[in-house]
């Protein structure tokens, strides 16, 4: 191989090695200090989160209604087969729930709204109880 071609090959290899070893060459971009680079205000972000949550709820309701329709179609086909072969329909343990009951996971407990004074009083009572327990444990330890 001619000297210049060999030199070019060496330079190409060196460039490839430098490219592979360069730590900043293919690093993902890091987030900026002090928040994101988007120019949305706090209210706009909250509004976007609300819209996204509403969209998810709407999509879930659409999915639920679609599957209920498909289930009804399967049930009618099964009923036809049962009628044809004179088979008794089994009782389904899990009945369909109404839409207003199934908005989230699990059963919902009524949330009691407390005003700030009641919350502050509860916190003070808890702190006093903790202090009392600590003092009583100290005195019972020395006996």
């Amino acid at each position: 191989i001619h000297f210049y071609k060999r030199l070019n090959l060496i330079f190409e290899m060196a460039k490839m090695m430098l490219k592979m070893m360069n730590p900043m060459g293919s690093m993902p971009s890091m987030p900026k200090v002090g928040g994101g680079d988007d120019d949305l205000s706090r209210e706009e972000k909250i509004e976007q989160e609300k819209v996204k949550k509403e969209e998810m709820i709407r999509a879930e309701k659409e999915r639920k209604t679609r599957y209920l329709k498909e289930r009804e179609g399967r049930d009618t086909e099964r009923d036809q087969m049962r009628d044809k072969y004179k088979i008794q329909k089994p009782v389904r343990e899990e009945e369909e729930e109404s839409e207003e009951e199934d908005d989230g996971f699990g059963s919902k407990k009524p949330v009691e709204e407390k005003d700030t004074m009641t919350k502050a009083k509860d916190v003070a009572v808890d702190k006093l109880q903790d202090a009392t327990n600590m003092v009583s444990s100290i005195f019972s330890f020395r006996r």
Side-chain angles (χ1 to χ4, degrees):
I1 299 179
H2 190 16
F3 174 74
Y4 293 112
K5 290 184 179 179
R6 202 175 325 143
L7 192 60
N8 192 19
L9 182 65
I10 291 172
F11 283 135
E12 290 295 320
M13 293 285 286
K15 284 195 315 188
M16 185 178 68
M17 293 299 290
L18 284 173
K19 193 183 279 186
M20 288 185 343
M21 291 189 310
N22 185 4
M24 300 305 280
S26 63
M27 289 287 290
S29 62
M30 297 296 287
K32 305 279 188 221
V33 177
D37 55 337
D38 55 329
D39 296 328
L40 299 177
S41 67
R42 183 172 183 260
E43 292 82 16
E44 290 172 337
K45 289 179 183 178
I46 292 172
E47 184 65 30
Q48 283 182 351
E49 289 176 11
K50 281 183 184 179
V51 168
K52 193 181 292 185
K53 189 180 281 187
E54 289 171 0
E55 180 67 25
M56 288 175 54
I57 291 171
R58 186 191 59 76
E60 179 65 23
K61 285 183 181 182
E62 286 179 2
R63 184 197 63 81
K64 189 174 182 180
T65 56
R66 184 180 70 225
Y67 283 120
L68 284 176
K69 287 178 184 176
E70 290 177 4
R71 186 179 190 182
E72 289 172 2
R74 289 192 304 267
D75 285 345
T76 55
E77 290 177 12
R78 289 182 184 134
D79 287 340
Q80 290 172 355
M81 290 296 206
R82 285 189 193 104
D83 291 342
K84 182 178 178 182
Y85 295 108
K86 297 179 178 80
I87 300 173
Q88 195 172 16
K89 182 177 182 179
V91 178
R92 203 179 256 163
E93 296 174 9
E94 180 183 314
E95 288 299 318
E96 298 159 5
E97 300 147 354
S98 64
E99 283 187 34
E100 59 272 354
E101 287 180 15
D102 192 31
D103 286 339
F105 294 103
S107 61
K108 290 188 176 182
K109 296 179 182 177
V111 178
E112 296 179 13
E113 294 292 327
K114 294 184 178 181
D115 60 342
T116 55
M117 291 301 291
T118 309
K119 289 179 184 178
K121 181 181 174 187
D122 291 343
V123 169
V125 168
D126 290 340
K127 297 279 186 185
L128 182 63
Q129 186 64 39
D130 290 341
T132 306
N133 290 341
M134 185 178 70
V135 169
S136 65
S137 68
I138 291 172
F139 288 124
S140 66
F141 179 76
R142 290 186 179 179
R143 285 184 184 172

